[in-house]
């Protein structure tokens, strides 16, 4: 026999022996898989306890599968909780099936969150506890101690399941990092899912989440999408879900379908939310929304892969009527809100607390503007500006200022940007009373105090149409048309044809101008009280009340004539106001109004720091008058309570002169010092070269810095 053949025959016993060993192992594994590895019960219990770091008990019948679809079927499974968490146990399940994937187990052993393929139990009792330092009793076998900066999100808070099916059970979740203390009661069964409309699972959630009381009822279909995580189980089912209840004083209704409610939420359906303030809804989600009056939101809600989408069909906030399509990316750092807001009306009073103003009447919010002050003192909620970023496009048909004395802005468009605590309104534009307003504003909450900037330009605005308080009929609550100059002409013509007194306005004209102001503070009053920058205003094609003109000049004879014959508007030749703000103190470099009767020059100052007024108005007549007490008119007091008076020095001189002439020459001569001859027409006082010729007026007292 050849040598090669002899060697082959010599090796055959070893080959057959190896094959026999392999066959025996395969047979053993197959037999073990079929039988459920009954002899591995105690070793498995000890191995699970070592891996989890807490006691694990497998009681009653045990069926284990390690190769094909690894799972553990046990009559009674009990996993203890570390004593320092003061919980009776972590998990106690009867007639339970626990399925996993070895890759998830390997990642868990390396410190990842615990993911399980499924958990099915006829009876389940779980106690999930996490302390303020990030230690949690579900962090079984964790190799590293979480830091105080541990992720506080719901995703990282709880173990997740590809499928969770519970016949009856309860889950207690106490989480100091989430400020949560929630009790979940569950009942239902898989077999009842197809038995009728009342079939499936029902759960009630009660307790507290982020300091807000919680009371929700959940009805689900064939499985309970509570803690299951569809990200780790491709077959995680979508089931019909209805959630109804309250979060604090906010009513919540969701009717749709979901694959997960906690863990990594995935849901879509119809939603209705109503409550006293949007801020209460935003807090549990980590959103930054303003404190508002009562609201009612209805629309379609979706949540997938950490992105919430709300498309509203109804958004009533106070008297505001809006719609929106918003996306909230919850997983980014910080979270980010994007989308669009549109609608027929936004009432500024509904956002009063958010912009530092007083709350709307009828709300529970206290007013923060003290008596005697006009500027809002409420402090901004600056820390909330850093809770998220935002990029929202707004297009509102009407911005209502909440007063009949001022016409609303229309066709308002702007882009709201919130980036790293800096809030900006970019590309701001609106239409008002035939004109336009454009510009931007910004608030930087990173500075201390917060920094504010505004750049606005306005062109072609009809004054009497915008500032309705300039019309006498505004006091009666009559709102004039938006374009008041043309309307006034039409109304006057109709009044004359009907033999009635024509409708009047104290001041009309087309307003243009611009401003660029900067300030710093944590409230509206503080920002304006530190404002710096220029303000320029121009008025053309206008009129000024004749009575006001004569009253400001104390022309008694002509004022009496106007009272008797009726006020009539005088064409306004020009009006110009060039103002400069320095640390909240506003002074005019040029302030003049000119018509064919008189020229009025204004000097002085307005302090936005203490809201005081100290203005002087001197009127220079252009016509003859019999009785004139020409003397500077003063406007003092505060923004909330102005006082109009006269400068006594010039007035005393005129009156004493009249009395002296009357005593020496005769009573008729007493009127000579009170006669005004006028200076006739002069050059346009609104032109800068002529502005230097403005009359010198007494300087107001210098305000001492505080």
């Amino acid at each position: 026999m050849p040598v090669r053949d002899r060697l082959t025959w010599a090796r055959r016993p070893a080959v057959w022996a190896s094959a026999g060993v392999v066959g025996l192992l395969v047979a053993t594994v197959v037999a073990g898989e079929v039988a459920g590895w009954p002899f591995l019960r105690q070793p498995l219990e000890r191995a699970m306890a070592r891996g989890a770091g807490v006691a694990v008990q497998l009681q009653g019948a045990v069926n284990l599968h390690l190769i094909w679809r690894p799972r553990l079927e046990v009559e009674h499974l009990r996993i203890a909780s570390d004593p320092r968490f003061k919980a009776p146990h972590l998990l106690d399940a009867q007639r339970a099936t626990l399925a996993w994937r070895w890759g998830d187990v390997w990642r868990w052993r390396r410190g990842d969150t615990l993911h399980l393929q499924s958990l099915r139990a006829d009876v389940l009792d779980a106690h999930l506890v996490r302390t303020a330092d990030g230690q949690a009793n579900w962090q079984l076998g964790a190799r590293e101690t979480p830091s105080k900066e541990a992720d506080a999100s719901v995703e990282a808070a709880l173990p997740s399941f590809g499928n969770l099916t519970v016949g009856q059970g309860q889950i207690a979740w106490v989480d100091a990092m989430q400020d949560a203390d929630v009790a979940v009661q569950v009942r239902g069964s898989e077999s009842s899912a197809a038995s009728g409309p009342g079939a499936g699972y029902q759960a009630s959630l009660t307790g507290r989440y982020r300091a807000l009381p919680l009371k929700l009822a959940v009805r689900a279909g064939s499985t309970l999408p509570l803690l299951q995580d569809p990200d780790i189980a491709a077959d995680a089912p979508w089931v019909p879900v209805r959630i109804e209840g309250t979060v604090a004083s906010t009513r919540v209704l969701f009717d749709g379908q979901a694959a997960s409610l906690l863990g990594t939420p995935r849901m879509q359906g119809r939603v209705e939310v109503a409550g006293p303030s949007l801020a209460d809804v935003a807090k549990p989600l980590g959103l930054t929304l303003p404190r508002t009056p009562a609201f009612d939101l209805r629309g379609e809600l979706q949540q997938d892969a950490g992105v919430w989408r709300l498309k509203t069909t109804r958004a009533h906030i106070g008297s505001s009527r809006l719609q929106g399509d918003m996306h909230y990316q919850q997983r980014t750092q910080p979270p980010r809100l994007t989308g669009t807001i549109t609608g027929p009306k936004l009432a500024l009073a509904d956002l009063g607390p958010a912009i530092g103003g007083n709350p709307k009447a009828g709300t529970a919010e206290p007013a923060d503007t003290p008596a005697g002050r006009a500027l809002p003192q409420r402090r901004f909620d600056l820390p909330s500006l850093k809770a998220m970023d935002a990029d929202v496009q707004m297009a509102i048909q009407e911005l209502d200022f909440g007063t009949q004395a001022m016409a609303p802005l229309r066709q308002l468009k702007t882009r709201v940007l919130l980036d790293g605590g800096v809030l900006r309104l970019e590309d701001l534009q609106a239409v008002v009373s035939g004109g336009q307003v454009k510009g931007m504003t910004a608030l930087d909450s990173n500075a201390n105090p917060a920094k504010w900037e505004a750049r606005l330009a306005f062109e072609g605005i009809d004054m009497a149409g915008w500032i309705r308080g300039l019309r006498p009929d505004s006091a009666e609550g009559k709102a004039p048309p938006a374009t008041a100059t043309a309307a006034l002409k039409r109304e006057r013509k109709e009044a004359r044809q009907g033999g009635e007194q024509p409708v009047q306005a104290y001041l009309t004209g087309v307003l243009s101008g611009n401003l660029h102001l900067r300030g710093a503070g944590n409230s509206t009053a503080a920002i304006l009280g530190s404002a710096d920058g220029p303000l320029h205003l121009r008025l053309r094609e206008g009129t000024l009340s004749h009575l006001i003109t004569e009253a400001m000049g104390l022309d008694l004879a002509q004022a009496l004539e106007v009272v008797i014959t009726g006020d009539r508007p005088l064409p306004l030749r020009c009006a110009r106001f060039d103002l400069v703000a320095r640390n909240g103190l506003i002074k005019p470099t040029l302030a003049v109004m000119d018509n064919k009767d008189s020229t009025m020059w204004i000097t002085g100052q307005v302090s936005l720091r203490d809201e005081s007024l100290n203005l002087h108005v001197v009127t220079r007549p252009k016509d003859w008058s019999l009785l004139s007490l020409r003397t500077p008119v003063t406007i003092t007091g505060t923004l909330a309570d102005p006082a109009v008076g006269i400068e006594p020095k010039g007035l005393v001189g005129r009156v004493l002169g009249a009395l002296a002439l009357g005593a020496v020459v005769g009573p008729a001569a007493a009127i000579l010092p009170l006669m005004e001859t006028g200076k006739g027409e002069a050059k346009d006082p609104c032109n800068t070269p002529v502005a230097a010729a403005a009359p010198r007026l007494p300087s107001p007292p210098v305000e001492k810095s505080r």
Side-chain angles (χ1 to χ4, degrees), residues 12-28:
R12 282 182 178 180
V15 172
W16 284 107
S18 299
V21 171
V22 172
L24 180 61
L25 289 175
V26 171
T28 302

Side-chain angles (χ1 to χ4, degrees), residues 43-379:
L44 175 64
E45 194 175 71
R46 290 192 296 268
M48 293 177 66
R50 285 196 304 269
V54 294
V56 176
Q57 296 177 341
L58 305 177
Q59 301 174 354
V62 176
N63 194 1
L64 176 65
H65 299 276
L66 300 176
I67 307 300
W68 175 250
R69 298 175 60 187
R71 64 193 183 277
L72 172 66
E73 299 171 354
V74 59
E75 186 173 348
H76 187 184
L77 169 65
R78 182 181 177 87
I79 302 176
S81 175
D82 191 297
R84 69 179 184 275
F85 297 103
K86 300 179 180 179
H89 51 260
L90 174 61
L91 180 71
D92 190 300
Q94 298 182 25
R95 292 173 295 281
T97 299
L98 192 65
W100 65 90
R101 291 184 299 195
W102 290 113
D104 294 331
V105 174
W106 180 77
R107 284 186 289 271
W108 166 58
R109 293 297 297 164
R110 294 177 63 87
D112 201 355
T113 305
L114 176 61
H115 298 295
L116 297 172
Q117 189 75 1
S118 70
L119 172 62
R120 295 172 178 264
D122 289 349
V123 180
L124 176 71
D125 183 17
H127 291 261
L128 307 174
V129 181
R130 183 163 65 167
T131 59
D133 60 0
Q135 300 283 347
N137 69 339
W138 61 78
Q139 293 166 336
L140 300 177
R143 297 183 181 278
E144 297 181 1
T145 302
S147 65
K148 292 184 178 181
E149 292 77 22
D151 189 357
S153 65
V154 176
E155 290 89 339
L158 300 171
S160 57
F161 301 84
N163 182 277
L164 176 65
T165 303
V166 179
Q168 180 179 355
Q170 60 184 16
I171 301 172
W173 176 33
V174 179
D175 192 334
M177 293 188 70
Q178 287 283 336
D179 190 18
D181 188 351
V182 180
V184 183
Q185 299 289 334
V186 183
R187 67 180 185 275
S189 66
E190 191 78 12
S191 60
S192 66
S195 61
Y201 288 86
Q202 299 180 35
S204 64
L205 287 77
T206 58
R208 185 192 75 253
Y209 182 65
R210 294 192 176 179
L212 299 176
L214 182 75
K215 188 175 183 180
L216 297 174
V218 181
R219 180 182 293 275
S222 58
T223 60
L224 182 66
L226 184 63
L227 302 180
Q228 62 190 34
D229 188 348
D231 288 347
I232 65 165
D235 59 348
W238 285 84
V239 297
V241 172
R242 181 181 176 89
I243 304 172
E244 189 171 8
T246 59
V247 179
S249 53
T250 300
R251 179 178 58 84
V252 178
L253 171 64
F254 173 82
D255 193 357
Q257 60 180 354
S260 178
L261 298 181
L262 295 178
T264 303
R266 181 178 289 181
M267 55 199 302
Q268 58 185 21
R270 176 176 60 90
V271 66
E272 297 180 7
V273 184
S277 174
L278 280 177
D280 296 337
V281 180
K283 186 176 180 181
L285 300 176
L287 280 165
T288 301
L289 294 181
R291 183 151 297 280
T292 66
F295 69 94
D296 185 354
L297 301 180
R298 301 179 187 180
E300 296 293 322
L301 178 68
Q302 296 181 7
Q303 213 284 5
D304 196 2
V307 178
W308 293 87
R309 180 182 182 185
L310 175 62
K311 187 174 183 179
T312 62
T313 56
R314 170 191 176 107
H316 291 184
I317 306 169
S319 61
S320 300
R321 300 294 181 263
L322 305 171
Q323 295 92 38
D325 189 354
M326 309 299 294
H327 294 76
Y328 179 59
Q329 301 176 45
Q330 191 175 14
R331 291 182 176 178
T332 61
Q333 291 298 326
R336 183 173 178 82
L337 180 70
T338 59
T340 60
I341 296 178
T342 61
K345 180 181 178 181
L346 173 62
L348 196 62
D350 296 333
L351 300 179
I355 60 175
N358 283 330
K360 194 171 183 179
T363 64
E365 287 293 308
D368 280 356
T369 300
R373 302 298 292 264
L375 300 179
Q377 308 286 323
R378 177 184 289 270
R379 292 179 64 87

Side-chain angles (χ1 to χ4, degrees), residues 361-435:
T363 64
E365 287 293 308
D368 280 356
T369 300
R373 302 298 292 264
L375 300 179
Q377 308 286 323
R378 177 184 289 270
R379 292 179 64 87
F380 300 135
D381 184 10
L382 296 177
S384 66
L385 296 181
K386 301 178 183 179
M388 73 174 189
D389 289 344
D391 186 351
V392 179
Q393 295 283 352
M394 295 186 66
I396 308 297
Q397 296 180 24
E398 178 182 305
L399 176 63
D400 185 4
F401 291 99
T403 173
Q404 289 289 345
M406 181 177 293
L409 295 180
R410 302 188 185 279
Q411 300 177 33
L412 172 67
K413 295 181 180 180
T414 188
R415 182 183 182 187
V416 181
L417 294 173
L418 180 56
D419 186 6
V422 180
L423 176 63
R424 301 176 66 88
L425 300 184
E426 293 282 7
D427 304 322
L428 175 65
Q429 55 181 310
V431 173
V432 58
S433 191

Side-chain angles (χ1 to χ4, degrees), residues 595-672:
N595 59 29
K596 70 175 185 178
D597 184 75
S598 302
T599 301
M600 289 182 287
W601 302 88
I602 305 170
T603 62
Q605 63 187 31
V606 176
S607 174
L608 299 180
R609 280 182 284 169
D610 58 14
E611 302 188 18
S612 63
L613 302 173
N614 192 352
L615 298 174
H616 294 252
V617 182
V618 169
T619 302
R620 293 290 183 255
K622 299 178 181 179
D623 56 1
W624 180 89
S625 177
L626 180 62
L627 295 174
S628 176
L629 299 176
R630 303 289 182 184
T631 188
V633 173
T634 62
I635 303 175
T636 57
T638 65
L639 295 176
D641 186 18
V644 180
I646 58 176
E647 184 70 38
K649 184 177 180 180
L651 179 60
V652 171
R654 284 203 155 198
V655 173
L656 290 179
L659 293 176
L661 276 176
V664 175
V665 181
I671 66 172
L672 293 178

Side-chain angles (χ1 to χ4, degrees), residues 568-580:
R568 65 185 186 279
L570 297 176
L572 192 61
R573 185 178 182 183
C574 70
R576 175 176 173 178
F577 299 90
D578 292 337
L579 312 173
V580 176

